[in-house]
Amino acid sequence: MNARLTLLGTVAPGATESEVFRLALGHAVGELSALGGTMHLRGPMSALRLVSSVGLPPALTRSWEIVDQEGPLAPARALQQGKGVWVPLSQDTSEEVAWPGTGLAALPVFSGRRSIGALTVLAGERGEPTPEHWDFLRDVVAWTEDRIAQAPPPSGPTQAELSGERLRQALKEVQVGSWDWDIRSGDLIWDEAALELYGTRRADFTGRIDNWMRIVHPDDLAPTLAAAQQAILDHSVYEAEYRVRRLDGTWGWTQARGRATYDEQGEPLRMIGVGWESNESRTARDALSRALRNMSDGFLAVNDEWRITFANLEAERFLGFSEEELFGRLLWDLPAAREVPDLKRRCLEAAAEEKPAGFDVRVDSCPARLHVRLVPGPDGRTLYFQDVTEKRRLAEERQAAERAAAERAVRIAELTTELAKATTSRDVVDAVARRVLPPFAASGLMVQAVEGDRLHHVGAVGYPDEFVALLDSRPRSAAGHPAWDTITSDVPLFLSSAEEYARLYPEMADFPARGGKRSWAFLPLTASGHTFGVCVVSFDRPRVLDDEERALLTTITALVAQSLERARLYDAEHTRSRELQRSLLPQALPDLPACTAAARYLPAGPGADVGGDWYDLIPLSGGQVALVVGDVMGHGLPEAATMGRLRTAVHTLADLELPPGEILGHLNDIVGGMGEASYATCLYALYDPTTQVCSIARAGHPPPALVRPDGTVHFPEPDADPPLGAAEPPFETVELEVPEGSLLVLYTDGLVESAKREMDEGMADLARLLGAAHADGTAVDLERLCDTLTADLLPTDQQAADDAAFLVARLHALPADRMASWPLPEDPKAASLARRHVREQLAAWDLEELIPTAELLVSELVGNVVRHARGPVRLRLLHTAELICEVYDGSQTMPRIRRATETDEGGRGLQLISALSTRWGARFTPTGKCIWTEQSLRGSEQPSDVLFLDAADFDEDWDTLL
């Protein structure tokens, strides 16, 4: 190998471009024994700029400062032909100064596939280079190309830390120098600030452009001149940044800005501008450039046609080419880019929006995942890409963990919310089944509580009924039981397989198969420091729970235990309340001639407390019947107790045979005395089968439904009085004529009103159901009718917020042939006449066996009326389920039974009536009162001390006898 080439090979990569040019030219000139050499680099506007020269005086090189690329000079020819050229000096006649030597040998310099300049040698007497010399020159050019690629970017001097004095000096106002360049003559004017900026003493300044060219760094001269020429040609602002040599020999960065002036023909005259120091900003840019070049992320710069203009080391590695090989190539044509699906489409879409965008892509040839960020700029776009495979994996794992933690928190929050709403033990079990089983992929849940030495079943999900029944109330076994062991130790027990279950509890080895489970978590239920039960979460496959799952289940069980403890207390209280309420409602409705009836009471849905709805059917004198329905507002034991008090009061007031309006008046006083917060609604209906008239009064209560024999449904609507406790008597009473066989339906608002249904809609539904039942014959069976109304108006799949009660009664009239009535005179003979009427009527009714007793009763009643009351007097007999004897008079003085002494002449009549009748009483009428007695149609043994006489023998003197 040539010794000079060997010597050049020892130059370490990283030499500056000016040093590379100097060494290349020096060895080329020496090897060819040439006179000198030049290095030109390509610039804009078809110009080659002289950047370095060896052995040639300025007088020769001045004309070569700018060489037209399309011209005849040797450097231009080399670029035009793309190879070495020999130009004899005899052909180069355009030079003003004669060049010595025989000719010029020039070779193009490339960067990758792009020519960037030319190396030229001025040959001496040897003439044109030999083939060996041409090979040598080509090797020197190749070395130059290699070292240029590895040359570091120029940078300013290292900035030492400013001392206090220098810092103060630096903070002074920045000095800007001005300059004036005569383009035609080359004269240059600098002011004092410019002289200082460009490191020139006043004595050394010649006033020529040469002063400026001598101080500009060789690497920056050509581009700076090109910028000036471009500004002159374009009539634009000249801007450039370049290095200048200071007085101390160091290089400093400066910036210049100016504008040319022109004559009338448009020829440039002068360029006037300013300059200032830019070391700090340039140093920062240089640092940024080095950072981009060596940063770990890939960085590409492309022009508007997506051709690469810059690539850092990481981009070179990923794309598989050097920066020189990448320069100018279309990004989409690179093999590495084609391996990234949708890269082109996504980049074009992002670029179309003209704003920064980022997205992840995957590489087909490897599992790598890249994040690409595209940033638009004025001259193209920059792309950053980073291998985020591991970063995304860690992020996904972190997100999965955070998502799992969030889901657990949400599940616990949801469970806590549901448990807070749960009121019964069943509610708690259902909440746990909904919120705990799915996240753990569990298939079964069983909750048991300790009662004595047995485990009582509270609730289960996912188990066969026969298996649940097997475990319910199972006694404690001495051989061991997983539930009992968990309760005793107060420590969770986790069994991961049926084999483990059988190994620990061999006597219960068949339980896993019978329950259909393969693994279990037995969790103690502890509240207030007391373990009272166990919660079993089971799986239909073998399952080993990790520590986190076990901790979560334990935490959840603590919440469940608190809620279950509260729910059990509620269940116990609710059970007592329901039992109390049931005891306060009628246990069975009486079977009465005037009506047949059926009723229902339906408590509110689960979680609601007991209510105060009630109904009643009260038999009264004369075959009359009172139908009552009421609703104490609110829920709870106090309301149930109030309901019991009101029902008792209604019975008491009904026995007094008061009109419906007066009964509601007394009830209003009772409720008003209970306090301001006590209110109740009530409907009281009084039906008289002898007149077929129903008298109705209501206080704040929905009207009854009357179903006539033709199937029409009518809601009698008297003016609605306020509820009991808020009303002011009197209460309005409405009388209805009720045909034989009509249905009267009394109900509370809970039957027809709900959160989803207005009362008017509910009443319309009730009328529709009653009409349909009459049409299809369902109404014949009152119990079946009650079931129909319940199923349609209060379906079991809809939780009712209020309790409901209703009473369905079919009303019957007393036939005319079962009634008999006679007026009686107001004299002692009335008793005899009354006895005769009784004998004749009872004989007609085939009730002869009741005649003796009936005569005694009638004689006593009529005798008392004649003696103590006033007329008109009337006798009425009713043949119902009993024989009813009624005596009417015009007095409102009520008889009172009392104990007579041995010396009293009277006072024993009412005692006799009480002894002879099944029951007796008196009631007010619009014109006076009515005293009545009832006798059983089955007859009874005659009292030996009274019924030993034949009443017929004393028709005339019966009153005297008594």
Side-chain angles (χ1 to χ4, degrees), residues 252-269:
W253 285 95
T254 63
Q255 279 187 276
R257 183 181 178 87
R259 181 180 289 274
T261 62
Y262 304 86
D263 60 15
E264 295 178 354
Q265 288 74 34
E267 294 297 325
L269 296 176

Side-chain angles (χ1 to χ4, degrees), residues 709-778:
D710 60 0
T712 58
V713 181
H714 172 60
F715 290 95
E717 295 194 11
D719 292 339
D721 289 299
L724 299 175
E728 294 184 2
F731 289 88
E732 181 181 0
T733 301
V734 173
E735 294 185 349
L736 301 175
E737 291 187 5
V738 181
E740 164 65 25
S742 297
L743 278 179
L744 188 65
V745 181
L746 284 66
Y747 52 90
T748 61
D749 58 355
L751 182 69
V752 294
E753 186 179 34
S754 68
K756 298 181 179 180
R757 182 175 58 193
E758 296 293 335
M759 182 175 292
D760 291 343
E761 298 176 6
M763 292 171 62
D765 291 340
L766 175 61
R768 174 180 54 81
L769 292 172
L770 291 174
H774 182 277
D776 62 17
T778 306

Side-chain angles (χ1 to χ4, degrees), residues 615-835:
Y615 58 87
D616 224 329
L617 189 67
I618 306 172
L620 300 177
S621 65
Q624 299 180 106
V625 59
L627 301 95
V628 189
V629 66
D631 182 5
V632 178
M633 297 183 183
H635 294 82
L637 279 177
E639 285 72 17
T642 300
M643 178 267 287
R645 296 170 62 184
L646 291 180
R647 181 168 176 255
T648 301
V650 169
H651 268 269
T652 302
L653 294 171
D655 286 342
L656 295 177
E657 306 275 3
L658 298 177
E662 291 188 27
I663 289 180
L664 292 186
H666 288 294
L667 291 178
N668 183 68
D669 295 338
I670 295 173
V671 175
M674 294 180 180
E676 296 181 357
S678 296
Y679 297 98
T681 65
C682 184
L683 187 150
Y684 187 96
L686 178 63
Y687 175 65
D688 188 345
T690 63
T691 62
Q692 295 182 258
V693 172
C694 184
S695 302
I696 300 173
R698 63 190 181 104
H701 205 85
L706 178 64
V707 184
R708 295 189 175 94
D710 60 0
T712 58
V713 181
H714 172 60
F715 290 95
E717 295 194 11
D719 292 339
D721 289 299
L724 299 175
E728 294 184 2
F731 289 88
E732 181 181 0
T733 301
V734 173
E735 294 185 349
L736 301 175
E737 291 187 5
V738 181
E740 164 65 25
S742 297
L743 278 179
L744 188 65
V745 181
L746 284 66
Y747 52 90
T748 61
D749 58 355
L751 182 69
V752 294
E753 186 179 34
S754 68
K756 298 181 179 180
R757 182 175 58 193
E758 296 293 335
M759 182 175 292
D760 291 343
E761 298 176 6
M763 292 171 62
D765 291 340
L766 175 61
R768 174 180 54 81
L769 292 172
L770 291 174
H774 182 277
D776 62 17
T778 306
V780 174
D781 186 347
L782 297 186
E783 293 293 338
R784 183 180 175 187
L785 176 60
C786 288
D787 294 338
T788 301
L789 297 180
T790 301
D792 282 85
L793 297 177
L794 297 172
T796 56
D797 58 344
Q798 296 181 11
Q799 179 173 331
D802 193 11
D803 51 347
F806 64 93
L807 175 67
V808 179
R810 186 177 302 281
L811 303 180
H812 304 290
L814 187 63
D817 59 356
R818 293 296 186 97
M819 297 183 289
S821 179
W822 305 271
L824 297 176
E826 297 181 40
D827 58 48
K829 299 298 182 179
S832 174
L833 182 58
R835 288 193 297 274

Side-chain angles (χ1 to χ4, degrees), residues 36 152 171 291 478:
L171 292 174

Side-chain angles (χ1 to χ4, degrees), residues 292 294-299 312-315 384-387:
L292 287 175
N294 297 283
M295 71 180 184
S296 60
D297 295 345
F299 178 81
N312 71 350
L313 295 176
E314 177 62 21
Y384 304 82
F385 54 90
Q386 179 186 24
D387 187 342

